[in-house]
C-alpha cells in the first residue's frame, strides 16, 4: 500500500514537531568492536574503521533501524538519517570516499522504512525522515594553520561537489527533508545549500530544507564569527522550511539566541540542544526532566516549531520533550516588512 504523501508545512501549522535525539549516544551503548564496524564485507579493509558511525548503516543496519524506532516510539515526528559524516571529505579519514553514495542511500532507506511503519500504524501522526548533512571536518572560511591565515584546507567548489553527491543519494533514498546541521562555518553551509538548489533544478523537484547553525560559546557567534542575525541574513536567500540552532550548548544556554532568531525570521524555527554542557569527562548528564523544564521555557515564550536533542540525548529525553510539547501551540510565524 502506498503511504499517503503528507505536507510537512501543513502539519507544522497544527503542532510543534519533535525531532529525534543523538545517534552517537545511542550507538555507544552497543559497544561495537572494530570487527562489528567491519562486518563480513569490510573484514580485510586496510584502514581502522571503529568510530565510523555512518558505516554501521551497511554493517549493522538492524541497530540503526532500532535506534530510529526507539525515537519514534518516544514521540519523535522526524528522525535524522545516520549520515552526519556522509561526504567524501569526511569519509577520507577512513579511505571510504567511494562508499559515500551507498552510505547515504542505505541510511535513508533504513530510516524511511521505519518511518513508514510508524505512519501506517498511526496515520494521524505522520513520521518524517530528515537527511542529515553535517558540516564536514574542514572549513572554507578559516585557516587551520595559525601561521598561514590565508590558507584554506578546502574550496567552496570542492564542498559543493561533495555535498551534491550526498544530497542526490539522500533524495534517491527517499528522505522527506534535507537538514544542513551543526553549521560552524556559514560558507560550508552555503556550499551545501547551493548543491541542494542545483539538484532541485536538475531534477525538477522541491524538497523542504532545514538549516541548523551552531553557536559555539558565550560570545553568541558561530565559529566563523557570525552573530545570530548575520547567520540568518547569510542563508535567508533560500526558501527554507526552518532555521535554528543545535549542538555546542545546552537548552538553557541556547535560549537567548533562539529568542533573537525567532524575532527575526519568517521561517519556522528549530532547536536541538545538547543535554546540558559536558562535564569534566566530556559526558552529558542533564536528566530528561531537567531538559524538559528548560525546553518548556521555549514553549511558554512561543519560540519554537521543531524541537529535539543533540549530544547526550536519548529516547528518554525525547519522550520528556514530546510530552511537554503537547501542552503548547507552535510558534506563530510573523510577517516582517
Amino acid at each position: 500500500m502506498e503511504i499517503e504523501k503528507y505536507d510537512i508545512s501543513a502539519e507544522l501549522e497544527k503542532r510543534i514537531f519533535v525531532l529525534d535525539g543523538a545517534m552517537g549516544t545511542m550507538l555507544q551503548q552497543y559497544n561495537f568492536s572494530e570487527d562489528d564496524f567491519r562486518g563480513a564485507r569490510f573484514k580485510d579493509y586496510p584502514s581502522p574503521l571503529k568510530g565510523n558511525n555512518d558505516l554501521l548503516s551497511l554493517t549493522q543496519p538492524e541497530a540503526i533501524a532500532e535506534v530510529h524506532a526507539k525515537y519514534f516510539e518516544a514521540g519523535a515526528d522526524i528522525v535524522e538519517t545516520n549520515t552526519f559524516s556522509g561526504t567524501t571529505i569526511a569519509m577520507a579519514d577512513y579511505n571510504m570516499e567511494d562508499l559515500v553514495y551507498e552510505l547515504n542511500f542505505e541510511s535513508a532507506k533504513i530510516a524511511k522504512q521505519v518511518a513508514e511503519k510508524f505512519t501506517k500504524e498511526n496515520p494521524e501522526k505522520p513520521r518524517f525522515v530528515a537527511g542529515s548533512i553535517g558540516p564536514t571536518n574542514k572549513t572554507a572560511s578559516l585557516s587551520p594553520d595559525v601561521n598561514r591565515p590565508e590558507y584554506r584546507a578546502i574550496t567552496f567548489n570542492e564542498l559543493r561537489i561533495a555535498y551534491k553527491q550526498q544530497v542526490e543519494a539522500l533524495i534517491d533514498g527517499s528522505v522527506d527533508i534535507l537538514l544542513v546541521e551543526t553549521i560552524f562555518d556559514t560558507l560550508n553551509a552555503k556550499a551545501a545549500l547551493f548543491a541542494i538548489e542545483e539538484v532541485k533544478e536538475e531534477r525538477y523537484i522541491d524538497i523542504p530544507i532545514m538549516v541548523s547553525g551552531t553557536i559555539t560559546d558565550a560570545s553568541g557567534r558561530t565559529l566563523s564569527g557570525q552573530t545570530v542575525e548575520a547567520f540568518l541574513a547569510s542563508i535567508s536567500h533560500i526558501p527554507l522550511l526552518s532555521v535554528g540552532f543545535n549542538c555546542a550548548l545546552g537548552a538553557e544556554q541556547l535560549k537567548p539566541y533562539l529568542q533573537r532568531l525567532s524575532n527575526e525570521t519568517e521561517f519556522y524555527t528549530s532547536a536541538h540542544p545538547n543535554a546540558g554542557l559536558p562535564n569534566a569527562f566530556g559526558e552529558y548528564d542533564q536528566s530528561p526532566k531537567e531538559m524538559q523544564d528548560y525546553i518548556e521555557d521555549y514553549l511558554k515564550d512561543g519560540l519554537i516549531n521543531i524541537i529535539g536533542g543533540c549530544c547526550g540525548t536519548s529516547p528518554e529525553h525525547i519522550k520528556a520533550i514530546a510530552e511537554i510539547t503537547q501542552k503548547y501551540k507552535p510558534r506563530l510565524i510573523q510577517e516582517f516588512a
Side-chain angles (χ1 to χ4, degrees), residues 22-321:
M23 175 62 79
T25 301
M26 294 298 288
L27 292 175
Q28 281 168 13
Q29 294 172 17
Y30 288 86
N31 289 317
F32 286 134
S33 65
E34 177 72 31
D35 287 344
D36 295 325
F37 272 88
R38 289 173 175 272
R41 179 173 165 188
F42 301 102
K43 187 169 166 290
D44 300 317
Y45 206 78
S47 306
L49 300 179
K50 190 175 178 183
N52 185 356
N53 284 350
D54 293 25
L55 181 62
L56 295 172
S57 295
L58 303 185
T59 56
Q60 304 290 340
E62 300 84 5
I64 302 300
E66 194 171 64
V67 172
H68 290 322
K70 282 179 177 170
Y71 280 123
F72 279 139
E73 279 161 7
D77 299 281
I78 306 170
V79 296
E80 298 174 50
T81 55
N82 180 39
T83 55
F84 186 79
S85 301
T87 56
T88 49
I89 297 159
M91 279 296 142
D93 286 355
Y94 301 97
N95 299 306
M96 286 194 149
E97 297 96 321
D98 293 348
L99 282 170
V100 160
Y101 182 90
E102 187 184 358
L103 285 171
N104 284 280
F105 179 80
E106 291 300 327
S107 294
K109 225 168 72 174
I110 292 165
K112 188 67 172 177
Q113 282 167 352
V114 180
E116 287 185 340
K117 176 177 170 283
F118 276 84
T119 299
K120 205 178 270 189
E121 286 168 6
N122 182 7
E124 293 299 299
K125 186 179 165 72
R127 311 303 178 101
F128 300 98
V129 174
S132 171
I133 300 171
T136 82
N137 48 8
K138 294 188 176 171
T139 167
S141 291
L142 302 166
S143 171
D145 184 347
V146 291
N147 298 313
R148 297 167 63 202
E150 79 290 350
Y151 172 70
R152 296 292 179 271
I154 192 103
T155 66
F156 182 92
N157 204 42
E158 286 167 336
L159 284 162
R160 177 191 66 81
I161 291 164
Y163 279 130
K164 189 174 181 185
Q165 185 183 13
Q166 181 176 30
V167 167
E168 286 172 335
L170 289 170
I171 291 172
D172 289 347
S174 301
V175 299
D176 304 294
I177 304 161
L178 292 170
L179 169 56
V180 182
E181 65 165 319
T182 322
I183 300 160
F184 54 80
D185 183 347
T186 310
L187 194 55
N188 286 38
K190 286 169 87 75
L193 293 170
F194 192 96
I196 292 168
E197 291 302 305
E198 249 187 323
V199 175
K200 281 165 60 176
E201 209 171 287
E202 286 168 9
R203 297 190 176 200
Y204 302 101
I205 58 166
D206 199 11
I207 184 165
I209 305 165
M210 294 173 65
V211 163
S212 185
T214 295
I215 299 292
T216 46
D217 55 34
S219 71
R221 293 173 182 264
T222 64
L223 190 65
S224 54
Q226 287 189 310
T227 61
V228 171
E229 293 79 8
F231 170 69
L232 185 60
S234 297
I235 53 158
S236 292
H237 60 294
I238 301 274
L240 301 174
L241 176 72
S242 70
V243 63
F245 293 114
N246 75 293
C247 205
L249 302 176
E252 180 186 16
Q253 296 83 11
L254 198 58
K255 189 186 173 189
Y257 309 116
L258 280 176
Q259 182 87 58
R260 283 160 58 184
L261 184 77
S262 178
N263 291 343
E264 293 288 334
T265 185
E266 293 175 39
F267 301 133
Y268 292 113
T269 53
S270 77
H272 47 298
N274 294 342
L277 295 174
N279 61 26
F281 303 101
E283 293 164 349
Y284 297 87
D285 40 27
Q286 190 171 80
S287 72
K289 178 70 179 84
E290 286 174 303
M291 194 169 183
Q292 183 190 57
D293 290 343
Y294 289 127
I295 297 287
E296 189 168 13
D297 285 343
Y298 297 0
L299 307 175
K300 282 175 181 168
D301 291 350
L303 300 184
I304 214 81
N305 301 101
I306 303 168
I307 182 73
C310 202
C311 304
T313 57
S314 65
E316 289 72 36
H317 290 85
I318 298 307
K319 187 168 187 280
I321 290 168

